[in-house]
Amino acid sequence: MKKDPLFPKRPDKASLLREWTGPLTNDLVQQPGAFGLGQLPRRLDVAATTTSICGFCGTGCQLEVHLNKEGEAINLSASTEYPVNLGMACPKGWESLTPLEASDRGTTPLLRDARGEQRPASWDEALGEMARRFKKTMQEHGPESVAWLGTGQIAVEEFAFLGALAKFGMGFVHGDGNTRQCMATAVAAYKESFGFDSPPFTYQDFEESDCLIFVGSNLCIAHPIMWQRVMRNQRNPDVIVVDPRRTETAMAATEHLAIEPKSDLTLFYAVAREVIHQGWVDRDFVAQHTNDFAEFAAFVEPYTLEKAAGASGLSASSIQELARKIGTRERVSFWWTMGVNQSYEGTRLAQALINLALLTGNIGKPGTGANSITGQCNAMGSRLFSNTTNLLGGHQFTEAADRRKVAGVLGIPEERIPQQNSLAYDQILEAVGQGKIKALWIIATNPLHSWIEQNRFKERLEKLDCLVVQDMYANTLTAQSADIYLPAAGWGEKDGTFINSERRIGTIRKVRKAPGQALADFQIFRALAHHWGVGEMFREWTCPEEAFQILKKLSVGQPCDFSGIRDYAHLEESGGIQWPWPAEAESEDGKVPAQRRLFGDGKFFTADQRARFCFEKPRPQPESPCGEYPYILLTGRGTSSQWHTGTRTEKSDVLRKLYPRGIYVEINAEDAQKLGLQSGDKTLVQSRRGHLEASAFVCQTVPAGKLFISMHYREVNRLTREDVDPYSREPNFKICAVSLKPLR
Ligand SMILES: Nc1nc2c(c(=O)[nH]1)N[C@H]1C(S)=C(S)[C@@H](COP(=O)(O)OP(=O)(O)OC[C@H]3O[C@@H](n4cnc5c(=O)[nH]c(N)nc54)[C@H](O)[C@@H]3O)O[C@H]1N2
Ligand SMILES: Nc1nc2c(c(=O)[nH]1)N[C@H]1C(S)=C(S)[C@@H](COP(=O)(O)OP(=O)(O)OC[C@H]3O[C@@H](n4cnc5c(=O)[nH]c(N)nc54)[C@H](O)[C@@H]3O)O[C@H]1N2
Ligand code: SF4
Ligand SMILES: [Mo]
């Protein structure tokens, strides 16, 4: 911990005001006074300062947390020297401490009694009861009758412990997490194209690119500090946003391509064809470092500019111009988020972007790359260490050598490691619906708000014999349904590491005591191991920093090898460390370089070290608009001040003020006029699966025929439809067909 009694780096209010140079958005983020600047610490109260990576989004900003004599956080500010955020933070970051103080924090375990009411219980009772019920279910119905659903929002050490305990200790076969709702598509795409789940970029690339193409990404509000990095770009770049909506990011870009939803695949195949026809292919790179180019070139041949124009609603000339920029600008980078991942054909779409980077040799060099931006603070950690569909450290359950290696590092019998992958989230739920999975443990996710097609989800959940929910708050929608509730400490109340979007590993620190009897997830897993009778198996997992040493060993020899990281102090003094950083890594000055990207040598992680062109014919959307449901509903983030289901951000008065409380639906002026609607009028929005009431917000951000409702409102997933991408099994959250009627 850094001793800093005089707090010399305290930024003054004026410089912080200057730092917010963000785009004009409709949610007031440009008014810094609104997000907690009034709370800068008073100089004399600060006894020490420590640092912690922010616990919200995958940007991974570092915060300086100012502590009093007792080591308790008084307040925080944005780290000025961290290579990610350079002194900036968004409203959520500034307000990070407030959700910890909420009055509805879980302070004691709860057990549902015979009358159906949740009653306080001791940890021994609650964990004893959980162990008893899960064991009984497994004895009667086999190991496949239980499962867990985890998260991308706890520390790496925590979900590694969770995954190891559940599968190797308790004998589970199935577990998945909310990363499935989010990043699974990028994982599947990278694995097949590059041989490993390996986002290649570093944030410096935002500043060093000549042409940045954002596909299905609303960076200004979902990753505001990454957008600030784009704003620092001095190369006069083209910033092109491909999104059906005129988002905050689209407005701030140099160009907005307002495509028809789900026409992206056709569009980018046509762009690839044009790049090939115009001779803009980097022939040397393609010949030396890729496979299947000839097949790809033949495949894209039917995707003419006219065909893409027909599908996307863009003009043939604007598609040609897009291809020209991709083919001729020196440094081109492709960035994507949920508009790509959350699609029934997301994996192929992500690969269509990867293909363009490969075709034009835009990879491994400054300002380039096919770059998936991650959502949650530690989605990248969960991708490597959740032990769900891949074995700890990016290994394979199905490979005997991998099982042997992991068993050796952990000192457990090899037979403890399942030889099959877990079912994916949607398959776990299907098994719940069929009565095959009877006990479910949900950790740090709130699927009764966030999972797609809620009615179906709720029906399935009712079939469970036992639901355990482990959350910071006892009153989330999901926690209220629990038979057993386990109160968890949150960000700020525990130690550990997160991995951000650019593969940077950084530490989080305990700066507050958890309320009541709430325990860090790590400690809950430790206690549960004891109650299950496998405490001995996890005797080395005494604290997160010890567990980190085990994870280092698991990473050895993998593309993500970070065995060269000494300990948490090494991470803190280095400004975080991007993987890979193997034990044999060397640098000239003995320090770890602040920015590193992958594939500078053109060698990929496939067996022959070549990247693959992966492609497939586009398919029609699962649900198109029709006479009865004439609109396409789009869903996504609504503001930089709210986080998902709002369990944390709703607890801050400051953040709440920045966003409307009541649910609203964005509707184009043309459609509103036809229906005689004005902003504020009540409407009924209906799909084949459910309905909701929302007030109309008449605006130009959505084109005619499209509506938008943000995912922060719990009602939205009553409307959505559970279709998944066949390769990643990520749900198609972004679109469904709905009707809208004025309610008078
Ligand atoms: N403030 C805030 N920030 C967050 C989060 C939050 O809840 N609040 N959540 C975090 C998480 S977990 C995630 S995953 C990220 C998500 O970050 P983003 O993916 O940037 O956010 P979304 O709004 O979900 O979706 C992005 C865009 O995809 C567009 N889109 C929809 N369909 C299509 C399509 O067919 N084609 C194209 N090209 N675009 C389409 C939508 O119109 C939307 O503008 O944000 C992270 N950051
Ligand atoms: N329609 C629609 N639906 C969507 C999306 C969309 O774009 N459209 N986006 C999807 C995406 S990308 C995502 S990532 C999901 C997110 O969906 P969720 O994961 O359900 O959303 P959160 O609100 O982040 O839920 C996290 C939960 O963990 C708790 N928590 C926080 N920290 C801790 C901790 O340290 N320990 C424990 N035990 N609990 C903790 C919080 O209180 C909260 O209840 O939503 C998905 N749903
Ligand atoms: S951009 Fe993301 S990581 Fe940075 S302060 Fe905001 S929520 Fe936290
Ligand atoms: Mo996400």
Side-chain angles (χ1 to χ4, degrees), residues 57 92 182-183 215-219 221-223 242-245 247 259-264 337-340 342 374-376 634-637 639-644 708 711-712 734-735:
C57 89
K92 296 181 300 304
C182 185
M183 303 316 305
V215 186
S217 157
N218 192 1
L219 206 71
I221 66 165
H223 301 93
V242 182
D243 194 310
R245 296 163 54 220
T247 59
I259 56 161
E260 272 300 308
K262 308 304 151 213
S263 64
D264 309 59
T337 324
M338 292 308 117
V340 171
Q342 291 173 340
T374 45
Q376 305 170 82
L634 296 157
T635 72
R637 275 78 200 148
T639 167
S640 62
S641 70
Q642 282 299 316
W643 180 254
H644 295 156
F708 174 77
M711 65 151 307
H712 309 304
K734 283 282 172 273
I735 54 157

Side-chain angles (χ1 to χ4, degrees), residues 302-332:
Y303 296 87
T304 57
L305 292 172
E306 292 67 34
K307 184 169 178 159
S312 66
L314 303 173
S315 67
S317 61
S318 64
I319 302 171
Q320 201 168 23
E321 181 56 17
L322 174 65
R324 193 186 62 78
K325 285 185 179 138
I326 292 171
T328 60
R329 299 240 36 189
E330 190 187 333
R331 300 171 173 185
V332 181

